[in-house]
Coordinates of all heavy atoms in Angstrom, one line a residue:
M18 N 2.3 0.8 -6.0 CA 2.4 1.8 -4.9 C 1.2 2.7 -5.0 O 0.8 3.1 -6.1 CB 3.7 2.6 -5.1 CG 3.7 3.9 -4.3 SD 5.2 4.0 -3.4 CE 4.8 5.2 -2.2
I19 N 0.6 3.1 -3.9 CA -0.5 4.0 -3.9 C -0.2 5.1 -2.9 O 0.3 4.9 -1.8 CB -1.8 3.3 -3.5 CG1 -3.0 4.3 -3.5 CG2 -1.7 2.5 -2.2 CD1 -4.3 3.7 -3.2
L20 N -0.5 6.3 -3.3 CA -0.4 7.5 -2.4 C -1.8 8.2 -2.5 O -2.0 9.0 -3.4 CB 0.7 8.5 -2.9 CG 2.1 7.9 -2.8 CD1 3.1 8.9 -3.5 CD2 2.5 7.5 -1.4
P21 N -2.7 7.9 -1.6 CA -4.1 8.4 -1.7 C -4.1 9.9 -1.3 O -3.2 10.4 -0.7 CB -4.8 7.5 -0.7 CG -3.8 7.1 0.3 CD -2.5 7.0 -0.5
A22 N -5.3 10.5 -1.6 CA -5.5 11.8 -1.1 C -5.5 11.8 0.4 O -5.9 10.8 1.1 CB -6.9 12.3 -1.6
K23 N -5.2 12.9 1.0 CA -5.0 13.0 2.5 C -6.3 12.6 3.2 O -6.3 12.0 4.3 CB -4.6 14.3 2.9 CG -3.2 14.6 2.6 CD -2.7 16.0 3.1 CE -1.3 16.3 2.8 NZ -0.8 17.5 3.3
D24 N -7.5 12.9 2.7 CA -8.7 12.7 3.3 C -9.4 11.4 2.9 O -10.5 11.1 3.3 CB -9.7 13.9 3.1 CG -10.0 14.1 1.6 OD1 -9.3 13.5 0.8 OD2 -11.0 14.8 1.3
D25 N -8.7 10.5 2.2 CA -9.3 9.3 1.7 C -8.4 8.1 1.8 O -8.6 7.1 1.2 CB -9.7 9.5 0.2 CG -10.4 8.3 -0.4 OD1 -11.2 7.6 0.4 OD2 -10.2 8.0 -1.6
N26 N -7.5 8.2 2.8 CA -6.5 7.1 2.8 C -7.0 5.7 3.2 O -6.7 4.7 2.6 CB -5.3 7.5 3.7 CG -5.6 7.9 5.1 OD1 -6.7 7.7 5.5 ND2 -4.6 8.3 5.8
T27 N -7.8 5.6 4.2 CA -8.3 4.3 4.7 C -9.1 3.6 3.6 O -8.9 2.4 3.3 CB -9.1 4.5 6.0 OG1 -8.3 5.1 7.0 CG2 -9.5 3.1 6.5
E28 N -10.0 4.3 3.0 CA -10.8 3.7 1.9 C -10.0 3.3 0.7 O -10.1 2.2 0.2 CB -11.9 4.7 1.5 CG -12.8 4.1 0.3 CD -13.6 2.9 0.7 OE1 -13.9 2.7 1.9 OE2 -13.9 2.1 -0.2
A29 N -9.0 4.2 0.3 CA -8.2 3.9 -0.8 C -7.3 2.7 -0.5 O -7.0 1.8 -1.3 CB -7.3 5.1 -1.1
F30 N -6.8 2.6 0.7 CA -5.9 1.5 1.1 C -6.7 0.2 1.1 O -6.2 -0.8 0.6 CB -5.3 1.7 2.5 CG -4.3 2.8 2.6 CD1 -4.1 3.4 3.8 CD2 -3.5 3.1 1.6 CE1 -3.2 4.4 4.0 CE2 -2.6 4.1 1.7 CZ -2.4 4.8 2.9
A31 N -7.9 0.2 1.6 CA -8.8 -1.0 1.6 C -9.1 -1.4 0.2 O -9.0 -2.6 -0.1 CB -10.1 -0.7 2.4
R32 N -9.4 -0.5 -0.7 CA -9.7 -0.9 -2.1 C -8.4 -1.4 -2.8 O -8.5 -2.4 -3.6 CB -10.2 0.4 -2.9 CG -11.6 0.8 -2.6 CD -12.1 1.8 -3.5 NE -11.2 2.8 -4.0 CZ -11.1 4.0 -3.5 NH1 -11.8 4.4 -2.5 NH2 -10.2 4.9 -4.0
T33 N -7.3 -0.9 -2.5 CA -6.0 -1.3 -3.1 C -5.7 -2.7 -2.6 O -5.3 -3.6 -3.4 CB -4.9 -0.3 -2.9 OG1 -5.3 0.9 -3.4 CG2 -3.6 -0.8 -3.5
K34 N -5.8 -3.0 -1.4 CA -5.6 -4.3 -0.8 C -6.5 -5.3 -1.4 O -6.1 -6.4 -1.7 CB -5.7 -4.3 0.7 CG -5.6 -5.6 1.4 CD -4.3 -6.2 1.3 CE -4.2 -7.4 2.3 NZ -3.4 -8.5 1.7
A35 N -7.8 -5.0 -1.6 CA -8.7 -5.9 -2.2 C -8.3 -6.2 -3.6 O -8.4 -7.4 -4.1 CB -10.1 -5.3 -2.1
L36 N -7.9 -5.2 -4.4 CA -7.4 -5.4 -5.7 C -6.2 -6.3 -5.8 O -6.1 -7.2 -6.6 CB -7.2 -4.1 -6.4 CG -6.6 -4.1 -7.8 CD1 -7.6 -4.8 -8.8 CD2 -6.3 -2.7 -8.3
F37 N -5.3 -6.1 -4.9 CA -4.0 -6.8 -4.8 C -4.4 -8.3 -4.5 O -3.9 -9.2 -5.2 CB -3.2 -6.3 -3.6 CG -1.9 -7.0 -3.4 CD1 -0.8 -6.8 -4.2 CD2 -1.8 -7.9 -2.3 CE1 0.4 -7.4 -3.9 CE2 -0.6 -8.5 -2.0 CZ 0.5 -8.3 -2.8
D38 N -5.2 -8.6 -3.5 CA -5.6 -9.9 -3.2 C -6.4 -10.6 -4.4 O -6.1 -11.8 -4.7 CB -6.5 -10.0 -2.0 CG -5.7 -9.6 -0.7 OD1 -4.5 -9.7 -0.7 OD2 -6.4 -9.2 0.3
D39 N -7.2 -9.9 -5.1 CA -8.0 -10.4 -6.2 C -7.0 -10.8 -7.3 O -7.2 -11.9 -7.9 CB -9.0 -9.4 -6.7 CG -10.0 -9.9 -7.7 OD1 -10.5 -11.1 -7.5 OD2 -10.2 -9.3 -8.7
I40 N -6.1 -10.0 -7.6 CA -5.1 -10.3 -8.7 C -4.3 -11.6 -8.3 O -4.1 -12.4 -9.1 CB -4.2 -9.1 -9.0 CG1 -5.0 -8.0 -9.7 CG2 -3.0 -9.5 -9.9 CD1 -4.3 -6.7 -9.8
K41 N -3.9 -11.7 -7.0 CA -3.1 -12.8 -6.6 C -3.9 -14.1 -6.8 O -3.4 -15.2 -7.1 CB -2.7 -12.7 -5.2 CG -1.5 -11.7 -5.0 CD -1.0 -11.6 -3.6 CE -0.3 -12.9 -3.2 NZ 0.4 -12.8 -2.0
I42 N -5.2 -14.1 -6.5 CA -6.1 -15.2 -6.6 C -6.3 -15.6 -8.1 O -6.2 -16.8 -8.5 CB -7.4 -15.0 -5.9 CG1 -7.2 -14.9 -4.4 CG2 -8.5 -16.1 -6.3 CD1 -8.4 -14.4 -3.6
K43 N -6.6 -14.6 -8.9 CA -6.8 -14.8 -10.3 C -5.6 -15.2 -11.1 O -5.7 -15.8 -12.2 CB -7.5 -13.6 -10.9 CG -8.9 -13.4 -10.4 CD -9.6 -12.2 -11.1 CE -11.0 -12.0 -10.6 NZ -11.6 -10.8 -11.1
H44 N -4.4 -14.9 -10.6 CA -3.2 -15.1 -11.4 C -2.2 -15.8 -10.5 O -1.2 -15.2 -10.0 CB -2.6 -13.8 -11.9 CG -3.5 -13.1 -12.9 ND1 -3.6 -13.5 -14.2 CD2 -4.4 -12.1 -12.7 CE1 -4.5 -12.8 -14.8 NE2 -5.0 -11.9 -14.0
P45 N -2.4 -17.1 -10.1 CA -1.4 -17.8 -9.3 C 0.0 -17.9 -9.8 O 0.9 -18.2 -9.1 CB -2.1 -19.1 -9.1 CG -3.0 -19.3 -10.2 CD -3.5 -17.9 -10.6
E46 N 0.1 -17.6 -11.1 CA 1.5 -17.7 -11.7 C 2.3 -16.5 -11.2 O 3.6 -16.6 -11.4 CB 1.4 -17.7 -13.3 CG 0.9 -16.4 -13.9 CD -0.6 -16.2 -14.0 OE1 -1.4 -17.0 -13.4 OE2 -1.0 -15.2 -14.6
L47 N 1.8 -15.6 -10.6 CA 2.5 -14.4 -10.1 C 3.0 -14.8 -8.7 O 2.8 -14.1 -7.7 CB 1.7 -13.2 -10.0 CG 1.1 -12.7 -11.4 CD1 0.2 -11.5 -11.2 CD2 2.3 -12.3 -12.3
E48 N 3.8 -15.8 -8.6 CA 4.2 -16.4 -7.3 C 5.1 -15.3 -6.5 O 5.0 -15.3 -5.3 CB 5.1 -17.6 -7.5 CG 4.3 -18.8 -8.1 CD 5.2 -19.9 -8.5 OE1 6.4 -19.9 -8.2 OE2 4.6 -20.9 -9.0
Q49 N 5.9 -14.5 -7.2 CA 6.7 -13.6 -6.5 C 6.1 -12.2 -6.2 O 6.7 -11.3 -5.7 CB 8.0 -13.4 -7.2 CG 8.8 -14.7 -7.3 CD 10.2 -14.5 -8.0 OE1 10.4 -13.5 -8.6 NE2 11.0 -15.5 -7.9
W50 N 4.8 -12.1 -6.5 CA 4.1 -10.9 -6.2 C 3.7 -10.9 -4.8 O 2.7 -11.4 -4.3 CB 2.8 -10.8 -7.1 CG 2.2 -9.5 -7.0 CD1 2.2 -8.5 -6.1 CD2 1.3 -8.9 -8.0 NE1 1.5 -7.5 -6.3 CE2 0.8 -7.7 -7.5 CE3 0.8 -9.4 -9.2 CZ2 0.0 -6.9 -8.2 CZ3 -0.1 -8.6 -9.9 CH2 -0.5 -7.3 -9.4
D51 N 4.6 -10.2 -3.9 CA 4.4 -10.3 -2.5 C 4.5 -8.9 -1.8 O 4.5 -8.8 -0.6 CB 5.4 -11.3 -1.9 CG 6.8 -10.9 -2.1 OD1 7.1 -9.9 -2.8 OD2 7.7 -11.6 -1.6
T52 N 4.7 -7.9 -2.6 CA 4.9 -6.6 -2.0 C 3.7 -5.6 -2.4 O 3.4 -5.5 -3.5 CB 6.2 -5.9 -2.5 OG1 7.2 -6.8 -2.2 CG2 6.4 -4.6 -1.9
L53 N 3.1 -5.1 -1.3 CA 2.0 -4.1 -1.5 C 2.5 -2.8 -0.9 O 2.5 -2.7 0.4 CB 0.7 -4.6 -0.9 CG -0.4 -3.6 -0.9 CD1 -0.7 -3.2 -2.4 CD2 -1.7 -4.2 -0.3
S54 N 2.9 -1.8 -1.7 CA 3.5 -0.6 -1.2 C 2.4 0.5 -1.1 O 1.8 0.9 -2.1 CB 4.6 -0.1 -2.1 OG 5.1 1.1 -1.7
M55 N 2.0 0.8 0.1 CA 1.0 1.8 0.3 C 1.4 2.7 1.5 O 2.0 2.3 2.5 CB -0.3 1.2 0.7 CG -0.9 0.3 -0.3 SD -2.6 -0.2 0.1 CE -2.5 -1.1 1.7
G56 N 1.2 4.0 1.3 CA 1.4 5.0 2.4 C 2.8 5.6 2.5 O 3.7 5.2 1.9
M57 N 2.8 6.6 3.4 CA 4.0 7.3 3.7 C 4.0 7.6 5.2 O 3.1 7.1 5.9 CB 4.0 8.6 2.9 CG 4.1 8.4 1.4 SD 4.0 9.9 0.4 CE 5.6 10.6 0.7
S58 N 4.9 8.4 5.7 CA 5.1 8.6 7.1 C 3.8 9.1 7.8 O 3.4 8.6 8.9 CB 6.1 9.7 7.4 OG 7.4 9.3 6.9
G59 N 3.0 10.0 7.1 CA 1.8 10.5 7.7 C 0.6 9.6 7.9 O -0.2 9.8 8.7
D60 N 0.6 8.5 7.1 CA -0.5 7.6 7.2 C 0.0 6.1 7.3 O -0.7 5.2 6.9 CB -1.4 7.7 5.9 CG -0.7 7.6 4.6 OD1 0.5 7.2 4.6 OD2 -1.3 8.0 3.6
M61 N 1.2 6.0 7.9 CA 1.8 4.7 8.0 C 0.9 3.7 8.8 O 0.8 2.6 8.4 CB 3.2 4.9 8.7 CG 3.9 3.6 9.1 SD 5.5 3.9 9.8 CE 5.3 5.3 10.8
V62 N 0.4 4.1 9.9 CA -0.4 3.2 10.7 C -1.6 2.7 9.9 O -1.9 1.5 9.9 CB -0.9 3.9 12.0 CG1 -1.9 3.0 12.8 CG2 0.3 4.2 12.9
Q63 N -2.4 3.6 9.2 CA -3.5 3.1 8.4 C -3.1 2.2 7.3 O -3.7 1.2 7.0 CB -4.3 4.3 7.8 CG -4.9 5.2 8.9 CD -4.0 6.3 9.3 OE1 -2.8 6.3 9.1 NE2 -4.6 7.3 10.0
A64 N -1.9 2.5 6.7 CA -1.4 1.7 5.6 C -1.1 0.3 6.1 O -1.5 -0.7 5.5 CB -0.2 2.3 4.9
I65 N -0.4 0.2 7.2 CA -0.1 -1.2 7.7 C -1.3 -1.9 8.2 O -1.5 -3.1 7.9 CB 0.9 -1.0 8.9 CG1 2.3 -0.5 8.3 CG2 1.1 -2.3 9.6 CD1 3.2 -0.1 9.4
Q66 N -2.3 -1.2 8.8 CA -3.5 -1.9 9.2 C -4.3 -2.4 8.0 O -5.1 -3.4 8.2 CB -4.4 -0.9 10.0 CG -3.9 -0.6 11.4 CD -4.7 0.5 12.0 OE1 -5.4 1.3 11.4 NE2 -4.5 0.6 13.4
N67 N -4.1 -1.8 6.8 CA -4.8 -2.3 5.6 C -4.0 -3.2 4.8 O -4.3 -3.5 3.6 CB -5.3 -1.1 4.8 CG -6.5 -0.5 5.4 OD1 -7.6 -1.0 5.2 ND2 -6.4 0.6 6.2
G68 N -2.8 -3.7 5.3 CA -2.1 -4.7 4.6 C -0.8 -4.3 3.9 O -0.2 -5.1 3.1
S69 N -0.4 -3.1 4.0 CA 0.8 -2.6 3.3 C 2.0 -3.5 3.8 O 2.1 -3.7 5.0 CB 1.1 -1.2 3.6 OG 2.2 -0.7 2.9
T70 N 2.9 -3.8 2.9 CA 4.1 -4.5 3.3 C 5.3 -3.6 3.1 O 6.4 -4.0 3.4 CB 4.3 -5.8 2.5 OG1 4.4 -5.5 1.1 CG2 3.1 -6.8 2.7
M71 N 5.1 -2.4 2.6 CA 6.2 -1.5 2.4 C 5.6 -0.1 2.5 O 4.6 0.3 1.9 CB 6.8 -1.6 1.0 CG 7.9 -0.7 0.7 SD 8.6 -0.8 -0.9 CE 9.3 -2.5 -0.9
V72 N 6.2 0.8 3.3 CA 5.7 2.1 3.6 C 6.9 3.1 3.4 O 8.0 2.8 3.9 CB 5.1 2.3 5.0 CG1 4.7 3.7 5.2 CG2 4.0 1.3 5.2
R73 N 6.7 4.2 2.7 CA 7.8 5.2 2.6 C 7.8 6.1 3.8 O 6.8 6.7 4.1 CB 7.5 6.0 1.3 CG 7.6 5.2 0.1 CD 7.4 6.1 -1.1 NE 8.5 7.0 -1.2 CZ 8.6 7.9 -2.2 NH1 7.8 7.9 -3.2 NH2 9.6 8.7 -2.2
V74 N 8.9 6.1 4.5 CA 9.0 6.8 5.8 C 10.0 7.9 5.8 O 10.6 8.2 6.9 CB 9.1 5.8 7.0 CG1 7.9 4.9 7.1 CG2 10.4 5.0 6.8
G75 N 10.3 8.5 4.7 CA 11.4 9.5 4.7 C 11.3 10.6 5.6 O 12.2 10.9 6.4
S76 N 10.1 11.3 5.7 CA 10.0 12.4 6.6 C 9.9 12.0 8.0 O 10.3 12.8 8.9 CB 8.7 13.3 6.2 OG 7.5 12.5 6.4
A77 N 9.5 10.8 8.3 CA 9.6 10.3 9.7 C 11.0 10.2 10.2 O 11.3 10.3 11.4 CB 8.8 9.0 9.9
I78 N 11.9 9.9 9.3 CA 13.3 9.7 9.6 C 14.1 11.0 9.5 O 14.9 11.4 10.4 CB 14.0 8.7 8.7 CG1 13.3 7.3 9.0 CG2 15.5 8.6 8.9 CD1 13.7 6.2 8.0
F79 N 13.9 11.7 8.3 CA 14.7 12.9 8.0 C 14.0 14.2 8.3 O 14.7 15.3 8.2 CB 15.1 12.9 6.5 CG 15.9 11.6 6.2 CD1 15.3 10.6 5.4 CD2 17.2 11.5 6.6 CE1 16.1 9.5 5.0 CE2 17.9 10.3 6.3 CZ 17.4 9.4 5.5
G80 N 12.8 14.2 8.6 CA 12.0 15.4 8.9 C 11.4 16.0 7.6 O 11.6 15.5 6.5
A81 N 10.7 17.1 7.7 CA 10.0 17.7 6.6 C 11.0 18.3 5.6 O 12.1 18.7 6.0 CB 9.0 18.8 7.1
R82 N 10.6 18.4 4.4 CA 11.5 19.0 3.4 C 11.6 20.5 3.7 O 10.7 21.1 4.1 CB 10.9 18.8 2.0 CG 11.0 17.4 1.5 CD 10.4 17.3 0.1 NE 10.5 15.9 -0.3 CZ 10.3 15.6 -1.6 NH1 10.0 16.5 -2.5 NH2 10.3 14.3 -1.9
A83 N 12.8 21.0 3.3 CA 13.0 22.4 3.6 C 12.5 23.2 2.4 O 12.3 22.8 1.3 CB 14.5 22.7 3.8

């Protein structure tokens, strides 16, 4: 899971996706490694565009914390 700084999400997501792909190639024995968790409600679109397969969306559903 990655939660990047607010002003660096796209670059951080791209670097994390590249690392994820590299590990999968170098370690084919990790057959069940299929989840890349990146992002939250505020950067959901960027996370998905960069390959996230799981996004935390609590505030999009429940609203901001009180």
Side-chain angles (χ1 to χ4, degrees):
M18 166 130 201
I19 178 177
L20 298 174
K23 289 183 181 183
D24 60 345
D25 185 32
N26 58 6
T27 301
E28 178 65 25
F30 291 152
R32 288 191 321 263
T33 303
K34 173 66 168 142
L36 178 61
F37 179 81
D38 291 342
D39 189 46
I40 290 170
K41 285 182 71 169
I42 290 168
K43 290 180 180 177
H44 297 280
E46 70 275 11
L47 300 175
E48 296 172 4
Q49 295 183 348
W50 188 338
D51 61 356
T52 304
L53 178 56
S54 179
M55 300 190 296
M57 297 174 72
S58 298
D60 52 15
M61 174 174 41
V62 172
Q63 294 91 344
I65 293 169
Q66 288 173 341
N67 282 279
S69 181
T70 61
M71 181 182 293
V72 179
R73 296 182 63 176
V74 293
S76 63
I78 296 170
F79 300 109
R82 291 183 180 190

